[in-house]
Amino acid sequence: ITQAGLGYDMLFGPAYKGIPLVAATAIALADSHARDVPYAFNRKEAKDHGEGGLIVGATLAGRVLIIDDVITAGTSVGESVALIQAQGAQPAGVVVALDRQERGQGSTSALQEVPGRYGIEAVSIVNLDTLVSYLSALPHTARELERIAAYQKEYGV
């Protein structure tokens, strides 16, 4: 996030896998970059008791950076953008741990489609090519690499 130079006021993690990632990211930004950033996440279903509502954590406001585990078709990004905008905030960008480099709706990857579709930057920590390169250097990964290659041939960019 720091290296990408993304501008944001707060973080958002889509349920469910984005929840621990957004919390860990907020902690890492505070511990390693002296940046105390509020964060929030959503529930899959709104609660009508206790704290209630759909959003947990800080109120969505300002420029909101979406933090998620993986991007495949980009569905979670679209849902997050809509939720953020519905709360009166602006999506600031998307950071995913892994870009599967899977085709989106066109000939580019879902991650590559994000800027054109939503007007925000989208970056990944690693992508499938990085993972393949890493696995290629390890012994006993030939079977996994064959499966990944077959997957890439069918769904990849």
Side-chain angles (χ1 to χ4, degrees):
I1 292 169
T2 302
Q3 290 174 351
L6 301 171
Y8 57 93
D9 300 312
M10 69 173 298
L11 308 173
F12 174 77
Y16 289 102
K17 292 181 182 170
I19 295 171
L21 293 176
V22 75
T25 301
I27 292 167
L29 287 168
D31 286 352
S32 299
H33 299 281
R35 179 106 196 253
D36 186 11
V37 183
Y39 70 94
F41 55 88
N42 66 311
R43 295 182 170 107
K44 288 284 186 179
E45 296 176 7
K47 266 178 68 176
D48 60 3
H49 62 282
E51 185 180 335
L54 187 64
I55 306 297
V56 178
T59 301
L60 291 173
R63 299 168 301 155
V64 181
L65 185 62
I66 301 164
I67 308 292
D68 210 352
D69 63 333
V70 66
I71 187 167
T72 304
T75 305
S76 177
V77 172
E79 291 170 355
S80 296
V81 165
L83 193 147
I84 290 164
Q85 291 172 333
Q87 298 292 314
Q90 301 97 25
V94 177
V95 176
V96 296
L98 174 66
D99 174 12
R100 292 172 62 160
Q101 295 177 291
E102 197 168 298
R103 278 187 311 278
Q105 294 182 359
S107 61
T108 59
S109 75
L111 188 76
Q112 292 169 321
E113 288 179 352
V114 168
R117 182 170 294 145
Y118 304 108
I120 56 176
E121 277 193 73
V123 297
S124 67
I125 296 171
V126 297
N127 60 32
L128 194 59
D129 287 342
T130 306
L131 183 59
V132 166
S133 177
Y134 173 78
L135 290 173
S136 296
L138 298 176
H140 314 294
T141 59
R143 184 173 178 196
E144 289 81 5
L145 289 167
E146 287 175 14
R147 292 175 66 199
I148 292 170
Y151 177 89
Q152 281 182 302
K153 185 175 180 180
E154 187 169 347
Y155 301 107
V157 291

